[in-house]
């Protein structure tokens, strides 16, 4: 499911991604839809091309420490085009400032 979501976010056709990875599109369909586990070289290529979180597959302990929502946001951030990052950073800064203001009011 991660591969399919990343591929669609990057607006890549299944056939195009399969060619980039060097596999048949049917194999990629099985990975996306049937949960087929790809070989290590294929997995590495998918991680690189799709911008998938390496930790999720090779160090799941780190991923367990984060909430599911934080993991989703982190993954989406990696997929986000560079030109939209200032907007996202501004939203995060605004949220942090609101939290800081609320804590200051509690302490007063």
């Amino acid at each position: 499911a991660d591969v399919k979501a990343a591929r669609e976010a990057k607006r890549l056709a299944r056939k195009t991604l399969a060619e980039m990875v060097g596999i048949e599109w049917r194999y990629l369909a099985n990975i996306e839809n049937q949960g087929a586990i790809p070989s290590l070289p294929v997995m590495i290529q998918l991680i690189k091309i799709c911008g998938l979180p390496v930790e999720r597959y090779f160090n799941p302990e780190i991923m367990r420490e984060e909430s599911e929502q934080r993991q989703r946001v982190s993954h989406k951030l990696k997929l986000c085009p560079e030109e939209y990052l200032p907007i996202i950073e501004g939203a995060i800064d605004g949220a942090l400032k609101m939290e800081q203001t609320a804590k200051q009011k509690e302490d007063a």
Side-chain angles (χ1 to χ4, degrees):
D2 292 343
V3 173
K4 186 174 187 175
R7 176 180 61 76
E8 289 174 348
K10 290 183 172 281
R11 296 184 178 102
L12 292 172
R14 183 175 286 141
K15 186 176 179 182
T16 303
L17 178 57
E19 288 172 359
M20 293 169 76
V21 175
I23 59 175
E24 292 289 323
W25 70 268
R26 288 181 204 92
Y27 180 33
L28 181 57
N30 286 338
I31 292 168
E32 290 181 349
N33 299 323
Q34 307 299 321
I37 299 173
S39 66
L40 186 57
V42 169
M43 187 68 203
I44 291 170
Q45 287 300 310
L46 289 170
I47 287 170
K48 285 163 102 176
I49 295 167
C50 295
L52 298 171
V54 176
E55 306 84 26
R56 175 180 233 143
Y57 310 102
F58 295 106
N59 194 357
E61 310 309 311
I62 291 173
M63 297 302 280
R64 281 190 213 119
E65 294 171 8
E66 292 186 342
S67 70
E68 191 173 313
Q69 185 173 23
R70 191 171 293 274
Q71 290 176 35
R72 283 194 313 271
V73 169
S74 177
H75 179 65
K76 288 177 182 179
L77 184 60
K78 289 176 185 170
L79 296 174
C80 188
E82 194 76 23
E83 62 266 19
Y84 298 126
L85 292 180
I87 298 166
I88 295 166
E89 185 176 20
I92 292 169
D93 288 345
L96 293 173
K97 188 172 183 174
M98 287 174 55
E99 180 67 16
Q100 183 181 24
T101 302
K103 284 184 180 181
Q104 287 173 348
K105 286 182 180 179
E106 286 176 11
D107 293 342

